[in-house]
Amino acid sequence: MIENFGTRLGWFLLGFVVSAGFFSFEVKAQSDADYFWTFSEIRSDTNSDNTLDYFGEEVSITGIANIETGLLHEHYLQAFVQNDSAGMSVFAMEIETPFGIGDSIVATGKIERYNGLAEVHIDSYRVFKTSSPIKVRSLSEVIESPQDYLGMLAEGEGKIIEKGSTFNGKYVRISTEGSSKSMMVYVSNFHSLYDQFDFDVLGVGDRISVKGIITEYNPEFPKERTFKLFLRTPEDLTFRGIPQFYLYLIAAASAMLIIVVVGWVISLKRSVNAKTKTIQANLEQKEVLLREIHHRVKNSLAIVSGLIHLQEGNTESREAKRVLQDTQARIQSVALVHEKLYKTESLSEIKLNTYIKDLVEAIHKTFTDYKEAVELKFEMEEVLLETERVIPCGLLINELVVNAYKHAFNKNKRGELRIRLKQIGDDIVLIVSDNGPGLPSGFDQSDDESLGAILINSFASRLKAGVQVNNREVGGAEYIFKFPSGKTAD
């Protein structure tokens, strides 16, 4: 009874100590199952012949699980337990009681080797749900002497210097800053989450953060022996910065986008150029047609003017002759606009100064009796005016000039007809003056009911022009017209 009570008390205290996370047991007798073996004793090989000193011995161990069951194999119990100074691989043919990271484990089994690794092939184990803290070593510390930290968790950052695969897994090799050594970061193809470890995006030169269990690779082949950091879950590997794989994808996508955009721009440019050429060709064709129309209109008006001239020659009435001459002058004024249009580059605007000069000189030639008696003087700036506004402006000038020849000049007296044109801001100022006898006292242009006055007022209104009529101090009449130069004036 006392022995049974003592045994039960011993197991109770063991459970309490293990559950509290204390693993400071010393081995007093290696053959006594009541004592826990240290992991260094299990790995001992005093003569360095690659044969464990206690191979096949039945031992008891305890530690904290740093990986949960079911990850490295769905059915077999393959896991690692550790304490503050070392760790050990444990294996069983089946998972009796699942455990998670931080659980305390007490196990009994034989010392075996698996692929050269020392491990305990356990016969029985107990799990204490303690969530005990696990000591995690720094990778920069472990990489200098990894054999001292087998079975323990380690974490740190490094740069990938190699990437590859083996017959039973895939790996990258990393180097840490300040160390000349490297560490293999490895995933076994037996891992239940093997496909979720996306090593395809990893590339040489990438910086990564890793966390995993330190173990050996090919320990039975000294020339190929190396140490590795065994990843537990995909979360044990994270990127620092952007992986080169993604940079290449971004670069490739950017290049493809640039190619597509450039191709689209070139295609659009070709399409625009083609349409522009078509539009330009249509415009040129329309300009040719418009010039031809203006030419034909000018010719038609010339025919009409010629017919009026013939009619004038067959008319005895002086009044009828005067009316026919005035009509002919007006027709010639309109014809001159069309002549300018088909001879100039622009079909929308005409140089008003050139048109006025040609018009006044043409009218001057029709008054043969005054050719020598009247001197024409022009003071005109270059002014552009829309085509549709040139015609009323020309007809206005025609009326003023013809009126001057009729009333201001005498063929026996020297006369002067002065035309001034200038642009002041957005306004055009046109001044027609003579040195004749001037206007009657009290003359009011708005009250004049003659045909010439009516036409002058009508054409001025078309131009939205302000009209000012004065007698000059030196003698003669002066007409001043001020009208806007822009298209908004219409």
Side-chain angles (χ1 to χ4, degrees):
M1 288 293 291
I2 295 175
E3 290 181 1
N4 290 338
F5 175 77
T7 300
R8 290 180 181 178
L9 178 61
W11 278 108
F12 172 77
L13 292 175
L14 172 63
F16 173 77
V17 173
V18 171
S19 63
F22 300 105
F23 301 102
S24 58
F25 296 95
E26 295 184 1
V27 177
K28 300 298 183 182
Q30 294 171 347
S31 60
D32 193 340
D34 288 342
Y35 295 99
F36 295 102
W37 286 52
T38 65
F39 302 143
S40 58
E41 289 171 333
I42 293 174
R43 290 193 180 93
S44 64
D45 180 8
T46 54
N47 57 5
S48 301
D49 62 354
N50 206 28
T51 300
L52 300 176
D53 291 343
Y54 302 105
F55 183 82
E57 285 282 342
E58 186 81 15
V59 296
S60 295
I61 61 171
T62 184
I64 300 173
N66 55 25
I67 186 171
E68 64 183 62
T69 53
L71 277 181
L72 302 185
H73 202 285
E74 294 183 18
H75 305 294
Y76 299 150
L77 189 153
Q78 187 175 358
F80 289 86
V81 295
Q82 74 170 78
N83 53 36
D84 287 348
S85 59
M88 177 61 64
S89 170
V90 295
F91 176 81
M93 293 303 295
E94 61 180 74
I95 301 172
E96 295 178 355
T97 304
F99 53 80
I101 297 174
D103 289 344
S104 298
I105 309 298
V106 176
T108 301
K110 293 182 179 180
I111 300 174
E112 299 282 353
R113 271 197 182 278
Y114 177 72
N115 284 341
L117 296 174
E119 68 177 11
V120 176
H121 195 150
I122 59 179
D123 301 319
S124 62
Y125 67 94
R126 295 179 65 185
V127 179
F128 299 89
K129 297 291 184 180
T130 59
S131 298
S132 301
I134 302 174
K135 187 174 183 63
V136 182
R137 297 289 183 173
S138 168
L139 186 59
S140 59
E141 173 189 15
V142 170
I143 203 169
E144 298 300 326
S145 55
Q147 66 276 6
D148 297 336
Y149 303 96
L150 292 176
M152 297 189 70
L153 276 180
E155 67 177 348
E157 295 182 14
K159 183 172 72 173
I160 297 176
I161 60 174
E162 181 186 345
K163 175 182 175 181
S165 61
T166 65
F167 72 96
N168 61 351
K170 52 191 175 184
Y171 73 93
V172 293
R173 186 174 293 279
I174 64 172
S175 63
T176 58
E177 189 173 354
S179 176
S180 60
K181 296 183 179 181
S182 62
M183 173 72 69
M184 175 187 285
V185 179
Y186 173 84
V187 178
S188 168
N189 54 15
F190 289 108
H191 200 297
S192 62
L193 303 177
Y194 181 77
D195 293 335
Q196 297 182 30
F197 290 88
D198 191 4
F199 275 35
D200 291 338
V201 301
L202 301 177
V204 174
D206 286 339
R207 295 196 64 83
I208 57 175
S209 292
V210 290
K211 185 176 183 180
I213 303 168
I214 302 299
T215 183
E216 289 182 271
Y217 186 74
N218 281 343
E220 67 270 38
F221 301 104
K223 291 183 179 181
E224 299 179 18
R225 184 178 186 180
T226 185
F227 295 92
K228 62 187 179 183
L229 186 142
F230 200 98
L231 298 176
R232 300 168 303 170
T233 67
E235 288 72 26
D236 282 342
L237 186 151
T238 56
F239 289 103
R240 311 301 292 179
I242 302 176
Q244 294 187 49
F245 178 82
Y246 292 138
L247 293 177
Y248 293 148
L249 282 181
I250 293 172
S254 300
M256 184 62 68
L257 180 60
I258 291 173
I259 292 173
V260 170
V261 170
V262 170
W264 177 77
V265 170
I266 292 174
S267 176
L268 182 62
K269 187 175 181 180
R270 288 178 179 175
S271 176
V272 170
N273 287 341
K275 291 182 179 179
T276 302
K277 288 180 180 179
T278 302
I279 294 172
Q280 187 65 33
N282 291 337
L283 286 175
E284 290 175 359
Q285 185 178 7
K286 289 179 180 179
E287 285 186 3
V288 171
L289 291 174
L290 284 172
R291 293 184 194 280
E292 180 63 23
I293 289 171
H294 287 303
H295 189 211
R296 293 190 180 188
V297 170
K298 180 258 180 185
N299 289 340
S300 297
L301 291 173
I303 292 173
V304 173
S305 178
L307 292 174
I308 292 174
H309 182 69
L310 289 175
Q311 185 64 46
E312 179 190 346
N314 294 325
T315 301
E316 298 295 335
S317 171
R318 291 178 61 86
E319 181 64 21
K321 283 180 178 291
R322 185 183 65 79
V323 171
L324 290 173
Q325 286 176 350
D326 291 348
T327 303
Q328 185 180 14
R330 291 165 186 147
I331 291 173
Q332 287 176 344
S333 176
V334 176
L336 184 59
V337 173
H338 291 282
E339 181 180 357
K340 292 293 181 184
L341 285 173
Y342 79 78
K343 286 184 177 180
T344 57
E345 293 182 0
S346 175
L347 293 173
S348 60
E349 293 179 324
I350 289 179
K351 290 182 180 180
L352 185 59
N353 51 308
T354 303
Y355 169 72
I356 292 175
K357 186 174 184 297
D358 292 346
L359 175 62
V360 173
E361 288 178 346
I363 297 172
H364 178 69
K365 290 178 183 179
T366 61
F367 288 89
T368 55
D369 294 340
Y370 297 91
K371 282 185 179 181
E372 303 297 331
V374 178
E375 181 182 5
L376 300 178
K377 290 189 176 182
F378 299 98
E379 298 175 13
M380 296 188 292
E381 298 176 359
E382 182 175 303
V383 175
L384 294 175
L385 191 64
E386 294 91 340
T387 303
E388 59 270 21
R389 302 179 68 206
V390 171
I391 291 177
C393 186
L395 292 171
L396 173 65
I397 292 172
N398 178 83
E399 295 300 324
L400 293 171
V401 173
V402 170
N403 188 62
Y405 276 102
K406 287 181 179 180
H407 304 290
F409 301 134
N410 187 320
K411 60 184 178 180
N412 298 320
K413 183 181 178 182
R414 191 72 177 173
E416 178 185 282
L417 180 64
R418 185 183 297 270
I419 312 294
R420 284 175 286 175
L421 179 70
K422 57 184 176 180
Q423 184 161 348
I424 303 175
D426 294 332
D427 294 323
I428 296 172
V429 178
L430 172 66
I431 304 174
V432 180
S433 60
D434 58 63
N435 64 344
L439 300 168
S441 178
F443 176 81
D444 188 348
Q445 175 70 20
S446 60
D447 293 336
D448 192 349
E449 295 183 355
S450 66
L451 177 60
I454 292 173
L455 290 175
I456 289 173
N457 291 333
S458 175
F459 297 143
S461 178
R462 287 278 305 277
L463 291 170
K464 297 188 182 298
V467 183
Q468 184 179 348
V469 183
N470 304 316
N471 275 320
R472 301 171 64 197
E473 292 182 1
V474 296
E478 182 179 65
Y479 284 79
I480 302 175
F481 301 89
K482 185 177 181 181
F483 53 94
S485 61
K487 292 183 179 181
T488 54
D490 294 340

